[in-house]
Amino acid sequence: MLSPAARRGALIGLLMTGAAGGAFAQTTAAAKPDCFAAFSNWLNASAADCPLSDYGLTFYGTIDVGGGYETHASPFNGDSKTGVSELISKVNNRALWQGVPNGLSTSNFGVKIQEEVAPNWFVIGDVDASFDPISLAFLNGPKSLVDNNNVPLAKQTTNADSGRSTGWDNSRGYVGLSNATFGTLTAGRQSSFSNDLATQYDPFGGSFAFSALGNSSTFVAGTGDTELSHYNMSVRYQLTYDRFRFGVLDQLGGYEQRNNAESAYQFDFGGDLGGLSVDAIYAYAKDAVSLSNYTSGAPTPDTLKATLANISAEVIAAKYRWNAFTVYGGYQYARLSSPSDLFGATATANGQTLTLNGGYPAVVQANTYVNPKELQIAWIGGKYSILPNLDFDAAYYYIQQNTYTNAATKYNTGGSATKAGIGCGPNLDPAIAGSAPQGANAAACAGNEFALSAALDWRLLKRLDLYTGVMYSEVTGGLANGFIQSNNTAFTTGARLAF
């Protein structure tokens, strides 16, 4: 029997081949525009003005690579979604100069189809793969966790869970029908509405190097769980009427279809008026998965930890453009509560081993959310066009969680010892030998995180950007528990080529 990925690929391939075949039957192909006359012409024509299109197919992509310096860096990992962690994380430790992939946007390559099959009815499709331009590996968050399984924290490279893990369609792989009056219906692997919002309403467009929303999809894109930024098997409907838009996204199947929850759905409502755009999203997921690794004692080299939660979230965001200036802002509230199915786990004991995101086995952890976790995110920022081809961006991001400890919570008491029933207080246990204890004495204690960033983006040519900027991030309280350092300043410079 074909795997879910193979079935999805066969469906996409069949529809694309059929539609393209109809186009190949045309007696003449469209004449190439002047931008293909010379390489210099092509470089100075945008991908929209001069796409690599023929016979109903459009090939596209981006290569984004650079370098940078961080005061408390995490070593490069070519499997990780971000490659390096500009935003402070548990692994960030010491100052480093290193190559930086995907600073401004994700490197990718893909193919799209839009073919008219009846008057005003179009078959559409899109297959998009995100990759690391330094390692040339597909982005794969769970693989980055496995890379560091049974590795002491002080020796780990950059690693974090991610909704990207499927290889050739790790960003998206879908087909559907579109009509200007009746809307667009698509099926397959798709990004969540919240993921789209995190890109469209962020001054940095979801940049890994300069945006907390881009660097960690837990914030907004995944509505509290990074894996919910993509639905592996789903159906999505979108309708635009006048200045208003509506959308519904529904997950098909559960873990067996390599989805990152047993069920999930989202609704989107939005509209535009003059220079103002607003979108609001409601999201729900049952038994959503968050993966992490073992610093020691993993049952097998590729077995991970799985923390499950039921998640409900609301997100609202807006942007307003006035002449050369655009202001952005938004807010998310997410509530993570006990999962509907603990798969044998309790508040004090782990449960079954399941096969989850990326096909890796993972042990269901003791119920973390006996008392619900409330995660709030707010951001504000702006983009100013100094010149038609030169932008200055700046943004501030703020993250806050409540105290959600319970009777089984273990608090650090120093010397790697823990004890229940103490209550939240200063951490007494450093994450590694020689470092200072960070944050609170339990990860479930209240905590805050913020990031402040600024950057210049110079479009030297229509297909080529040169950029430079900085992001400072700091974490406190329960969010800093287990961290080696509590802050990081990341300077990044790079180039991005679109085709």
Side-chain angles (χ1 to χ4, degrees):
M1 181 178 291
L2 292 175
S3 68
R7 290 197 298 270
R8 189 171 64 248
L11 175 63
I12 292 169
L14 177 64
L15 289 178
M16 284 193 165
T17 302
F24 272 109
Q26 298 174 3
T27 56
T28 58
K32 300 294 184 185
D34 290 341
C35 56
F36 289 107
F39 182 64
S40 58
N41 292 10
W42 179 81
L43 274 176
N44 207 30
S46 71
D49 293 337
C50 193
L52 299 173
S53 297
D54 215 344
Y55 302 105
L57 299 177
T58 298
F59 296 90
Y60 65 90
T62 304
I63 299 173
D64 187 325
V65 66
Y69 172 81
E70 297 182 48
T71 56
H72 296 125
S74 60
F76 172 77
N77 182 336
D79 291 319
S80 173
K81 184 190 85 167
T82 58
V84 301
S85 184
E86 294 90 349
L87 188 72
I88 187 68
S89 74
K90 283 189 175 184
V91 182
N92 289 64
N93 186 7
R94 60 190 181 279
L96 281 177
W97 289 90
Q98 56 187 336
V100 176
N102 303 328
L104 196 60
S105 61
T106 308
S107 296
N108 69 313
F109 59 87
V111 57
K112 295 188 291 187
I113 184 171
Q114 179 173 315
E115 189 70 18
E116 191 171 23
V117 293
N120 299 317
W121 285 92
F122 295 85
V123 170
I124 60 172
D126 193 356
V127 179
D128 186 295
S130 300
F131 68 96
D132 187 297
I134 298 176
S135 68
L136 301 181
F138 290 127
L139 304 187
N140 190 333
K143 177 66 163 55
S144 75
L145 295 173
V146 170
D147 293 342
N148 290 275
N149 235 1
N150 288 332
V151 177
L153 187 62
K155 297 183 179 180
Q156 290 189 17
T157 57
T158 302
N159 64 92
D161 193 13
S162 171
R164 290 186 172 102
S165 64
T166 57
W168 57 269
D169 64 344
N170 61 5
S171 286
R172 54 187 174 268
Y174 65 80
V175 293
L177 285 171
S178 182
N179 176 274
T181 301
F182 297 101
T184 300
L185 180 68
T186 51
R189 178 172 172 82
Q190 303 181 82
S191 61
S192 64
F193 288 132
S194 52
N195 193 358
D196 296 342
L197 180 148
T199 300
Q200 296 163 5
Y201 290 93
D202 178 10
F204 289 100
S207 159
F208 293 168
F210 309 118
S211 168
L213 306 188
N215 196 279
S216 175
S217 293
T218 298
F219 310 140
V220 180
T223 58
D225 183 341
T226 183
E227 295 201 9
L228 297 177
S229 60
H230 295 81
Y231 286 23
N232 196 51
M233 290 291 287
S234 63
V235 60
R236 172 169 163 156
Y237 175 70
Q238 295 173 276
L239 177 67
T240 299
Y241 177 75
D242 195 15
R243 293 188 294 265
F244 302 97
R245 54 185 166 269
F246 164 77
V248 59
L249 173 67
D250 187 44
Q251 179 179 293
L252 301 177
Y255 300 151
E256 290 186 358
Q257 286 69 43
R258 297 217 175 166
N259 288 307
N260 303 326
E262 280 288 69
S263 64
Y265 57 83
Q266 292 192 351
F267 296 100
D268 173 57
F269 302 90
D272 305 299
L273 180 62
L276 176 68
S277 296
V278 180
D279 273 273
I281 291 169
Y282 175 76
Y284 177 79
K286 172 189 172 186
D287 301 338
V289 176
S290 178
L291 296 177
S292 56
N293 57 11
Y294 291 83
T295 55
S296 63
T300 69
D302 62 351
T303 297
L304 298 171
K305 301 176 183 178
T307 300
L308 307 184
N310 286 351
I311 302 177
S312 60
E314 299 85 33
V315 189
I316 186 167
K319 61 183 177 182
Y320 182 76
R321 182 171 183 174
W322 181 72
N323 294 331
F325 183 70
T326 305
V327 62
Y328 303 78
Y331 171 78
Q332 175 199 281
Y333 172 86
R335 187 176 189 269
L336 288 71
S337 56
S338 295
S340 297
D341 192 339
L342 286 166
F343 297 92
T346 68
T348 57
N350 296 337
Q352 302 172 24
T353 299
L354 307 176
T355 300
L356 297 170
N357 186 9
Y360 294 106
V363 177
V364 176
Q365 299 298 288
N367 184 13
T368 300
Y369 305 113
V370 174
N371 293 317
K373 174 182 177 179
E374 297 176 348
L375 185 65
Q376 300 182 74
I377 298 101
W379 72 97
I380 189 169
K383 179 189 297 286
Y384 180 71
S385 296
I386 302 170
L387 298 172
N389 65 340
L390 178 64
D391 293 338
F392 172 75
D393 299 347
Y396 175 78
Y397 307 89
Y398 180 77
I399 300 98
Q400 176 181 287
Q401 75 173 28
N402 66 318
T403 295
Y404 58 99
T405 56
N406 59 70
T409 300
K410 298 293 182 66
Y411 301 87
N412 297 329
T413 58
S416 299
T418 61
K419 186 177 180 180
I422 295 175
C424 291
N427 192 6
L428 301 175
D429 200 5
I432 64 172
S435 69
Q438 303 293 340
N441 56 354
C445 296
N448 305 283
E449 182 173 358
F450 77 88
L452 183 63
S453 54
L456 286 169
D457 176 17
W458 178 32
R459 292 176 294 283
L460 177 63
L461 299 169
K462 288 187 177 181
R463 292 184 187 266
L464 180 64
D465 295 60
L466 302 179
Y467 61 87
T468 187
V470 60
M471 177 164 67
Y472 174 80
S473 56
E474 184 175 315
V475 64
T476 64
L479 287 170
N481 179 266
F483 279 47
I484 303 172
Q485 304 287 347
S486 62
N487 62 75
N488 183 39
T489 303
F491 301 89
T492 306
T493 298
R496 177 178 65 178
L497 176 69
F499 60 90

